[in-house]
Amino acid sequence: MLNDHILSLTTFVPAAGALVVALLPRRGRVIQWFTLLVSLLTFALALHLPWHYVYGQSGFQFEENHSWITSPNIRYHMGIDGISMWLIVLTAFLAPLGVLASWKAVETRTKEFYFLFLLQQTAMIGVFVSLDMFLYYGFWELSLVPMSILIAMFGRERGPQTALKFFVYTFLPSALFLVAILWLYAKTGTFDFVQMQHILAQDSMLFAPKALMWVSLAFLVAFAVKVPVFPLHGWLSDTISEAPTAMAMVVAGKLGLYSIIRFNLGLFPVQAREVAPWMIAIGVIGILYGALLALVQRDMKRLIAYSTLGHFSFCILGIFCFAVMGLDGSVYQILNIGISDGALLILAGALYERYGTYELAAYGGLATKLPNMATLTVITGLSLIGLPILNGFVGEFLILSSSFRTHMAWGAAATIGVILSAAYMLSMIQRIFYGPQSALVANRPAYDVVAREQLALWPMALLMLIMGVASPYWIRAIDGATHELANGVHYTMSLAERR
Amino acid sequence: MTSTHSLHLWLLPLVPFAGFLVNALLGRRFPRALVTAVALIATLIPFLQVLGIASQFSSLSLPHLEQFGTWIAAGSFHADFTFALDQLTLVMLLVVTGVGFLIHLYSAGYMAHEDGYWRFFAYLNLFMFFMLTLVLAENYLLMFVGWEGVGLASYLLIGFYYTRDSAANAGKKAFVVNRVGDFGFLLAMFLFIAHFGTLSFSSIFSQITAHPELHGGFLTAIALCLVLGATGKSAQIPLYTWLPDAMEGPTPVSALIHAATMVTAGVYMVARTHVLFDRSPLALSTVAIIGTATAFFAATVALVQTDIKRVLAYSTISQLGYMFLACGVAAYSSGVFHLVTHAFFKALLFLAAGSVIHALSGEQDMRVMGGLRKKIPVTFWTMTMAVFAISGLPPLAGFVSKDEILYHAFTAPGPGKLLWFVGLFTAFLTSFYMFRLWYLTFFGENRAEKAAAHAHTPASSHHAEVDEHHHAIHESPWIMLGPLAILAVLSVIGGWMGWPEGLGGGNWFGHFLAPALASQHVAEAGSNSLEVTLALISTLVALAGWFLAHLFYFAKPELPEKLSVSLRAFYNLLLNKYWIDELYGAVVIAPVLFLSRFVLKGLIDTGVINGGSYAAAYTTQGMGAIVQRLQSGNIRSYAGWLALGAAGLLLLTYFGFGAHLSLR
C-alpha cells in the first residue's frame, strides 16, 4: 500500500510542512520545533525505502507512473534505484541536522527561513525521484530558487551579491539544459526517462551524429556547474562562505553528480565516453587544485569549500572511468562527503556562534577549552582525509583503484591528493585547536558542544565509523544500479561500433 | 582453510579497542586508578591470549585463517575482514603485546602526574588496536587499516602536549610524511588489484608462485611502491625526517611506537611480502642500499646530538636500517630477528632514558647530566645492559642479531662486501655514540646541580613532564623499574634463541620462522670459520667504539671540544643533520606553497575564474536593466528572455548547428 505512494509522500511532506509554516505564528520556537518534526517525519518516510527495497534487482522500484498532461505528453513518473535511494535517505538525514544547526544561528525572519528550507527539501528529493524529464526539470529549477533567496536573505556579509552569483552560475546553464530537453522531446515525443533511454539506445538513426553530443554537453554543463567541477567552481567558495550552515551543507555535490550519473551516463553513454578523457583530466586537476587552494586559505569556510571541490572531483574521476568499482565508489563518496562535510560545516558554524569569526588566524589552543568540539572535529577531519575504517576511505579507495586500472597516470596523480588533503586538514585542526591559546580564545568564555549540537554531530560521527566498516550494506544496493550503467555503456558502445 | 577450532583472533585487537572506547568516552570522569586498570587489562588480555596461542601453536595447521565478514565489495573486487596466523605473525604478536604491556605498566608510573592521563591511555590502547590489526591482517587493505591507524595513534601521541607548537607541528609532520609513504602503499595496492584482482596475501603469493616466469617488470614496480611505503613508516631515507621530531611525545610513546613496534611495520611488511621481493632483484638491492645508507647516515648524526632522546631516535633509524639491509639481502628472518632483539633493547633504552629524565625532573640534555650511576643504580644497571646489547658486545642480544645480518650481507652476491663494510663501520659508530651517551649520563661529575644553579631556561625545561616540586634526584618507582628489569634480562638473553649455527648454536629462531619466510636464498647450515671470523671482527669493532668513547668522554673529556673546533665544518654538518629538513623545506614545501598561494590562488582563482564570473554577473545585471526598461513585470521579463533564448537555440538546432559546430 504505502509502497505505491511512498515517493510522493517523501517528496511532498516537506512542501506541505512549508505551507503550514507559512500559517504558524511567529512565537517562541514553534516554527523550529515544527520544522524539526516535519524533517524527522520525512526522514522516517525515507527510511522506509531501504527497508523495503528489493536488493540484487536492477531497474526502478517504488514506481509511480500516471499520465499528468496529455499534450505535451508529460507524465507524473517517479521511481528510484539503488543510487537515488541512498541519496534521498542522505538528504532526509541531513534535514533535521540542518534544523538543529540553524536553531541558534537563525533568530530573525524564522518563518521565511524555514518555509524556504522545507521547500528546498522537496526540490532536492524531487530531483532524485523524478523519472519524467519535465518533472525533473521543475524540481531542478525549484532547487535553485529557495537556495538563492536564502543566501540573499541570510548571507553573512555579502548575501545578495553571492546569491546573484550563485543564481547566474546555475541558472544560465539550466536554461540551455531546458532547451536540450525540449529538443529531445521534439525528436522523440516523450519526456519519460525510461522511454527516452530506449529510444536513444535503439533508434540512433533518429539523430544527426553530432547533435546528441551537443545535447549531452548541454546536460553536462548544467550539472557540472552545480557540482561544481573545475573550472566552473567560481560560485562555490563565496556561496559556502556566505550561506547559512544548513544551506552550505547541501548546496554542492549530490544533485549535480547524481544527474551526471543518471542522464549523461544513462541517456548518452556513447557521448559520455567521448568526453570521458576530458572529464577525467578535469577531475584530477580539480582534486589537486582544490587541495592546493585549501592549503593556503585563511578562512575556515573557504578552506572547507576548496576541500569540497577536491572531494567532489574524486567523484567525477570515478564516474568517468565507467567501471562498477569506480561508480560504486563515487556514489558512496557522495554520501560520505554529504555527511562528513556537513559535520565539518556544523562544527565551523558552532565555532562562529561562539567566536564570531571564521578567520583561522584568530583561533588557537581551543582544544583545552572545548575538548569535545576538538574530538568531533578530529574525527570528521580524519573521515574527510580518508583514514581507513572511516567512511571516506572506502569511497576514495574504490575510485582511485578503479581509475588506476584504466588510466594509470591520472590515477596516480589523483592519489597525490591523499597527501595534500592530510596536509591542509591537519593544518586547519592545528591552527584552531592546538598550540597556545590566541587572544580571542583566551579572553572570550565559551561553552563546549551543547546537547543540541551533540544530537546533530554524534550520529554523524557514528555513521562515519559504521559506513567505514560496513560498506557492503550500502554498496549492495548501489552495485545493482551501477552494474547496469557500466554494462549499458558497453551495450550501446558495441551498437555504435557496429554501425 | 580454516582449522576446526577458532582462536577468536578478533579478540586480540578488539579488546584494546574496547579499552580505548571506555577511556576515551568516560575516562575524563574516572579516577586515575580506574583508567590505569582499564588500559592495563585491555593490554594484558591480548598478551595472555597470545601466550595461550603460542602454547598450542604446534597443533595448529598454518597459516590459520579466520574470517569475520566482508569489508568492501564492489564489482568483482572484494576485501574481507580476515586475520591470519603464522610463525611470523606469532613473533610479531608476542613482541607487540609483550613489550606493549610492559610499556603500559611503565607509563602508569611515568605519567602519574600528568594532565590528560586518561587521554594518554586511551591513545595507547588505540595504538594497540591498530598495531594488532596490522600484524594479523590477511590482506593488504586490512593491513593498511593498521598501517594508517598506527600513524594516527602516533600523531595523537606525538601531539600529546598539544599546547606546545613544537609538539603539534611534530605530530602533523609525522602524519603528512607518513602519508607520502602511504601514497606508495596505495599505488602498490592498485597495482596488485590491476594485476592479480585481489589483495589477499595467500591469493597473490600463490599466483606469483604458480608463475615462475614472472620476474621483475610490474613486480618490481609493486615492490618499489611498497618500499616507498616502508620508508615512511620505518623512517628510512628519504622519509625518515619525522622520527627525530616525534620525540616531542612522552617518552613511553617513543619506546613503544617509535622504537619497538610501529616503526618496524615496514620491515614486517617487506618480510611478509618476501615472495614478491624474491622475484625482483632490483627492489631487493634498493632495500639493501636504502637500509645501509640510512644505518650509516643516522649513526653519524647520532654522534653529536646532545638531547638523550634524539640520540636514541637516530639510533633507532640506524638500527631499522640494519633490518632493511637484512631484508635487502633476502635474509628476512635475520631482519625479523633483529626487529625482536631491537624491540627489547631499544624499548629498554628509551624507558631507562625516561627514568633518567624522570629523575632529573624533565631534563633531556646530556650536557647537564653526568654522575648519575650511584644516584639511580637500577636505571644505570638496566640501561648498561641495553647499551652493551646495542653496541654488539657478545653474548648479548644485539650482538647475535646484528652479527647475523652482517654475515648475510658479507655472503650476499654483488656488492655484499661493501654493504658489510659500511654495516661494520656503522657498528663501530653505534658502539661509540652509545657509550658516549652512557658516559655522559652516568659517569663523571654531576653537571645537573651546576645547571640547576642557572635559572630554568625555556630550552632545558620545555617538557611538560617537569615536576616543579621535585628537586632531589630520585630513583623511579617500582612500576617503572619492573619493566626495565624484565627488558634488561631480555636484552641479555633474548638473542640466544637465534644463536647462529656458524657459531655453534641452533638458530632455533631462524628455523621457527623458516616455513613463513621460506626464501629462495636458503642459508647454509653448519659451523664455519668465516662466520667465526666475522663475529670476531664485529666484537673488536664494538670494543674499539667503547674504547674511543671511554677516551673521549671519560679519560680526556676535553678532547671532543677540541675536535669539534678543529673539524668545525664537519661538526656543524652533523649537528644540523646535514640540513635535510631545510632542504626539503626549500625544495618541496616552499614551491608547493608558492604555487598554491600566488599562481593558483592569486592568478587563476581570483584572476581568471572569479574575474570571469564577475564579468558574467555584470553582463546579467546589464541585461536585467535592459529587460526592466522593456517590460514592466520582472517575472514576465525573465520568462520572456528565457523563451526568446530557448526559441533561438531551438532554431539553431533545427538548422543543424551540430554540423557546423562539431567537437572534432
Side-chain angles (χ1 to χ4, degrees):
Chain A
M1 242 335 261
L2 190 57
N3 280 352
D4 297 336
H5 304 291
I6 184 69
L7 293 183
S8 294
L9 266 175
T10 317
T11 310
F12 288 109
V13 160
L19 292 181
V20 178
V21 164
L23 302 174
L24 280 175
R26 296 174 189 266
R27 197 178 331 114
R29 295 198 182 275
V30 178
I31 291 175
Q32 275 100 323
W33 281 108
F34 180 75
T35 314
L36 186 63
L37 209 69
V38 172
S39 54
L40 283 173
L41 177 65
T42 317
F43 183 45
L45 287 170
L47 282 182
H48 177 91
L49 302 174
W51 196 257
H52 293 272
Y53 190 81
V54 185
Y55 290 88
Q57 186 185 307
S58 62
F60 295 104
Q61 304 190 18
F62 305 104
E63 266 187 281
E64 297 175 37
N65 195 352
H66 316 287
S67 180
W68 183 17
I69 301 169
T70 40
S71 179
N73 182 12
I74 298 170
R75 302 186 68 80
Y76 182 82
H77 189 181
M78 286 179 169
I80 56 167
D81 61 2
I83 299 171
S84 40
M85 175 177 78
W86 284 121
L87 290 169
I88 293 166
V89 176
L90 171 74
T91 309
F93 171 71
L94 290 178
L97 305 182
V99 177
L100 289 175
S102 314
W103 205 264
K104 275 276 178 58
V106 179
E107 297 269 45
T108 56
R109 293 183 292 185
T110 46
K111 182 178 278 192
E112 290 82 347
F113 182 86
Y114 288 103
F115 175 79
L116 292 165
F117 176 88
L118 285 172
L119 217 54
Q120 178 75 18
Q121 299 305 320
T122 289
M124 291 190 291
I125 297 174
V127 164
F128 296 131
V129 296
S130 300
L131 288 179
D132 182 280
M133 306 272 275
F134 197 85
L135 193 62
Y136 169 88
Y137 187 79
F139 284 121
W140 174 265
E141 286 293 298
L142 183 62
S143 79
L144 305 179
V145 178
M147 180 67 78
S148 305
I149 303 175
L150 279 172
I151 295 169
M153 283 178 73
F154 297 90
R156 194 152 51 99
E157 283 154 6
R158 300 184 298 118
Q161 291 99 308
T162 311
L164 182 68
K165 193 173 182 182
F166 171 77
F167 193 76
V168 170
Y169 251 101
T170 48
F171 192 80
L172 286 186
S174 296
L176 209 64
F177 170 43
L178 175 64
V179 175
I181 292 176
L182 293 175
W183 185 84
L184 277 179
Y185 177 74
K187 285 284 183 185
T188 60
T190 179
F191 280 116
D192 191 274
F193 175 81
V194 181
Q195 286 180 20
M196 197 176 292
Q197 199 174 27
H198 281 293
I199 295 169
L200 286 171
Q202 282 154 20
D203 254 348
S204 42
M205 302 307 278
L206 206 61
F207 308 98
K210 287 290 170 293
L212 271 186
M213 173 53 96
W214 284 102
V215 171
S216 82
L217 279 182
F219 276 63
L220 185 59
V221 170
F223 302 147
V225 167
K226 192 70 175 59
V227 175
V229 171
F230 176 89
L232 304 173
H233 64 274
W235 59 272
L236 182 69
S237 76
D238 284 345
T239 304
I240 297 263
S241 154
E242 286 293 323
T245 303
M247 289 297 110
M249 282 164 68
V250 296
V251 70
K254 55 182 187 246
L255 292 178
L257 288 166
Y258 162 78
S259 304
I260 289 177
I261 297 174
R262 173 70 73 232
F263 295 105
N264 283 96
L265 266 60
L267 285 183
F268 313 108
V270 183
Q271 290 73 17
R273 277 231 159 166
E274 275 182 46
V275 297
W278 296 97
M279 294 308 290
I280 287 169
I282 282 175
V284 174
I285 292 169
I287 291 169
L288 300 177
Y289 184 89
L292 285 171
L293 272 161
L295 205 54
V296 294
Q297 295 302 316
R298 298 198 189 92
D299 179 293
M300 218 183 289
K301 267 202 164 179
R302 287 187 189 273
L303 191 153
I304 297 172
Y306 284 104
S307 95
T308 308
L309 173 65
H311 286 126
F312 286 131
S313 299
F314 270 106
C315 300
I316 292 289
L317 174 64
I319 289 169
F320 281 92
C321 284
F322 301 101
V324 178
M325 202 173 163
L327 280 164
D328 283 353
S330 295
V331 177
Y332 202 58
Q333 196 64 351
I334 301 174
L335 306 178
N336 296 335
I337 300 165
I339 293 165
S340 305
D341 232 29
L344 198 58
L345 282 163
I346 292 178
L347 285 160
L351 283 180
Y352 187 81
E353 280 174 34
R354 286 162 175 78
Y355 292 102
T357 180
Y358 287 115
E359 277 293 312
L360 284 169
Y363 290 93
L366 205 54
T368 319
K369 275 189 136 175
L370 311 178
N372 287 329
M373 182 97 76
T375 306
L376 283 161
T377 312
V378 169
I379 295 173
T380 308
L382 292 172
S383 145
L384 281 168
I385 66 177
L387 186 94
I389 78 158
L390 295 181
N391 53 358
F393 176 72
V394 179
E396 267 183 26
F397 176 80
L398 289 176
I399 292 168
L400 288 173
S401 120
S402 161
S403 63
F404 191 82
R405 205 176 213 165
T406 46
H407 304 79
M408 194 171 284
W410 288 115
T415 311
I416 295 174
V418 171
I419 304 170
L420 296 173
S421 68
Y424 70 69
M425 193 58 78
L426 295 185
S427 294
M428 185 184 86
I429 289 169
Q430 183 184 351
R431 283 201 264 176
I432 299 173
F433 291 105
Y434 302 155
Q437 293 192 352
S438 69
L440 178 76
V441 169
N443 295 333
R444 193 173 308 186
Y447 43 95
D448 204 351
V449 188
V450 294
R452 167 179 60 84
E453 290 158 338
Q454 308 242 27
L455 211 60
L457 290 165
W458 280 112
M460 299 174 106
L462 203 63
L463 256 183
M464 293 173 204
L465 180 66
I466 295 173
M467 290 182 72
V469 293
S471 65
Y473 178 72
W474 284 267
I475 290 184
R476 67 185 168 141
I478 300 167
D479 214 49
T482 51
H483 259 290
E484 211 172 46
L485 282 174
N487 293 339
V489 169
H490 294 307
Y491 174 60
T492 15
M493 256 320 259
S494 56
L495 263 185
E497 279 156 7
R498 236 179 285 149
R499 193 176 54 191
Chain B
M1 282 290 263
T2 317
S3 82
T4 43
H5 67 294
S6 168
L7 296 172
H8 298 290
L9 292 177
W10 57 274
L11 271 172
L12 284 171
L14 281 190
V15 168
F17 190 71
F20 157 72
L21 283 182
V22 170
N23 270 341
L25 296 175
L26 307 169
R28 196 195 307 257
R29 293 177 200 90
F30 282 178
R32 286 185 181 219
L34 189 55
V35 172
T36 320
V38 168
L40 287 182
I41 290 170
T43 329
L44 184 61
I45 291 174
F47 180 51
L48 295 177
Q49 196 189 344
V50 171
L51 288 181
I53 291 170
S55 71
Q56 51 170 315
F57 198 67
S58 53
S59 67
L60 295 173
S61 63
L62 297 172
H64 173 90
L65 299 184
E66 290 186 8
Q67 202 203 323
F68 314 104
T70 303
W71 176 20
I72 298 178
S76 57
F77 173 80
H78 71 103
D80 301 327
F81 288 113
T82 309
F83 283 161
L85 182 74
D86 67 356
Q87 290 86 352
L88 179 59
T89 309
L90 183 70
V91 168
M92 294 300 292
L93 286 176
L94 282 167
V95 171
V96 171
T97 57
V99 177
F101 176 68
L102 287 178
I103 293 174
H104 272 71
L105 208 58
Y106 175 97
S107 306
Y110 189 86
M111 302 297 287
H113 307 295
E114 295 287 330
D115 291 335
Y117 187 80
W118 60 277
R119 202 158 50 89
F120 179 83
F121 278 101
Y123 295 163
L124 226 48
N125 276 353
L126 181 69
F127 170 77
M128 295 298 284
F129 161 68
F130 281 123
M131 192 69 207
L132 289 168
T133 307
L134 195 161
V135 297
L136 280 166
E138 201 278 329
N139 59 60
Y140 283 100
L141 203 63
L142 198 54
M143 187 191 223
F144 193 67
V145 172
W147 189 266
E148 282 243 307
V150 291
L152 166 68
S154 166
Y155 163 77
L156 293 169
L157 283 163
I158 294 169
F160 181 73
Y161 303 113
Y162 59 83
T163 49
R164 278 208 314 260
D165 274 330
S166 56
N169 281 330
K172 182 178 68 181
K173 182 176 178 183
F175 198 95
V176 175
V177 172
N178 265 296
R179 268 273 160 127
V180 178
D182 296 349
F183 166 74
F185 198 122
L186 280 169
L187 291 190
M189 286 200 284
F190 302 156
L191 282 164
F192 273 129
I193 295 174
H195 287 283
F196 299 102
T198 175
L199 289 174
S200 150
F201 293 149
S202 54
S203 170
I204 290 173
F205 299 151
S206 63
Q207 285 187 52
I208 295 178
T209 318
H211 294 276
E213 76 282 2
L214 286 181
H215 213 267
F218 74 90
L219 293 183
T220 299
I222 299 176
L224 289 178
C225 286
L226 286 175
V227 171
L228 179 63
T231 57
K233 197 64 51 191
S234 292
Q236 298 293 293
I237 291 172
L239 297 179
Y240 70 92
T241 52
W242 63 271
L243 185 61
D245 289 13
M247 296 299 121
E248 287 286 342
T251 308
V253 172
S254 314
L256 177 61
I257 300 183
H258 306 121
T261 52
M262 180 188 90
V263 289
T264 62
V267 180
Y268 167 75
M269 186 259 279
V270 173
R272 175 57 77 205
T273 319
H274 68 95
V275 176
L276 175 72
F277 278 88
D278 282 337
R279 294 291 183 83
S280 172
L282 178 63
L284 274 181
S285 341
T286 310
V287 172
I289 291 166
I290 286 178
T292 316
T294 310
F296 173 73
F297 165 86
T300 58
V301 178
L303 295 175
V304 298
Q305 298 301 311
T306 52
D307 181 312
I308 189 168
K309 283 181 73 182
R310 289 219 166 217
V311 175
L312 295 180
Y314 279 101
S315 155
T316 303
I317 299 174
S318 176
Q319 296 296 312
L320 288 164
Y322 277 113
M323 299 174 209
F324 267 62
L325 166 59
C327 292
V329 295
Y332 305 105
S333 66
S334 308
V336 175
F337 186 34
H338 197 56
L339 185 162
V340 174
T341 60
H342 176 259
F344 298 152
F345 61 70
K346 187 52 67 64
L348 175 54
L349 281 169
F350 268 113
L351 295 186
S355 180
V356 170
I357 296 167
H358 196 254
L360 296 177
S361 310
E363 185 55 66
Q364 295 187 197
D365 192 334
M366 295 192 297
R367 287 171 300 189
V368 294
M369 293 180 180
L372 296 176
R373 182 167 37 117
K374 295 275 169 53
K375 299 214 161 96
I376 43 173
V378 182
T379 305
F380 168 70
W381 280 110
T382 49
M383 193 161 193
T384 302
M385 291 304 116
V387 170
F388 282 19
I390 189 177
S391 303
L393 294 176
L396 279 77
F399 163 77
V400 191
S401 54
K402 193 194 295 183
D403 198 57
E404 201 180 309
I405 292 173
L406 290 177
Y407 169 72
H408 283 293
F410 191 86
T411 53
K417 304 280 187 299
L418 180 66
L419 297 176
W420 169 79
F421 181 75
V422 178
L424 188 71
F425 187 64
T426 305
F428 166 73
L429 297 177
T430 307
S431 168
F432 175 79
Y433 70 69
M434 283 317 300
F435 278 106
R436 169 178 175 265
L437 181 148
W438 192 57
Y439 282 116
L440 281 176
T441 310
F442 293 109
F443 292 84
E445 56 181 307
N446 188 339
R447 299 179 292 275
E449 263 116 49
K450 242 194 296 175
H454 299 281
H456 259 218
T457 61
S460 69
S461 67
H462 67 287
H463 257 242
E465 294 154 47
V466 172
D467 218 352
E468 288 299 338
H469 48 274
H470 278 183
H471 291 298
I473 295 171
H474 56 102
E475 184 61 285
S476 302
W478 67 267
I479 198 166
M480 289 166 68
L481 298 179
L484 290 186
I486 295 170
L487 286 169
V489 171
L490 288 171
S491 300
V492 175
I493 65 169
W496 299 352
M497 60 184 171
W499 198 270
E501 283 153 342
L503 300 179
N507 196 4
W508 175 85
F509 188 83
H511 289 298
F512 175 73
L513 276 184
L517 297 176
S519 165
Q520 294 171 344
H521 313 251
V522 183
E524 66 285 10
S527 175
N528 69 68
S529 54
L530 174 66
E531 193 156 5
V532 175
T533 317
L534 290 179
L536 223 58
I537 297 175
S538 303
T539 310
L540 287 176
V541 158
L543 288 171
W546 185 0
F547 172 75
L548 203 65
H550 183 82
L551 186 72
F552 270 44
Y553 297 98
F554 192 74
K556 295 192 169 144
E558 69 282 0
L559 260 184
E561 189 72 24
K562 282 187 193 156
L563 204 63
S564 70
V565 172
S566 59
L567 295 174
R568 175 138 303 276
F570 185 59
Y571 176 75
N572 275 335
L573 184 69
L574 294 185
L575 195 64
N576 292 293
K577 307 152 235 162
Y578 298 88
W579 282 286
I580 298 290
D581 272 311
E582 288 77 6
L583 182 77
Y584 284 179
V587 174
V588 181
I589 298 167
V592 166
L593 288 180
F594 178 85
L595 172 80
S596 309
R597 191 163 289 142
F598 298 108
V599 180
L600 297 183
K601 188 184 177 191
L603 199 68
I604 297 185
D605 215 62
T606 313
V608 180
I609 287 166
N610 245 346
S613 71
Y614 277 119
Y618 283 127
T619 319
T620 335
Q621 270 179 324
M623 262 167 55
I626 296 167
V627 172
Q628 255 172 349
R629 236 169 277 152
L630 290 175
Q631 296 282 334
S632 52
N634 230 341
I635 296 166
R636 228 190 286 169
S637 74
Y638 268 119
W641 274 104
L642 197 65
L644 204 67
L649 283 162
L650 266 176
L651 275 173
L652 268 176
T653 321
Y654 187 74
F655 291 114
F657 68 93
H660 300 292
L661 308 166
S662 74
L663 243 197
R664 289 211 175 130

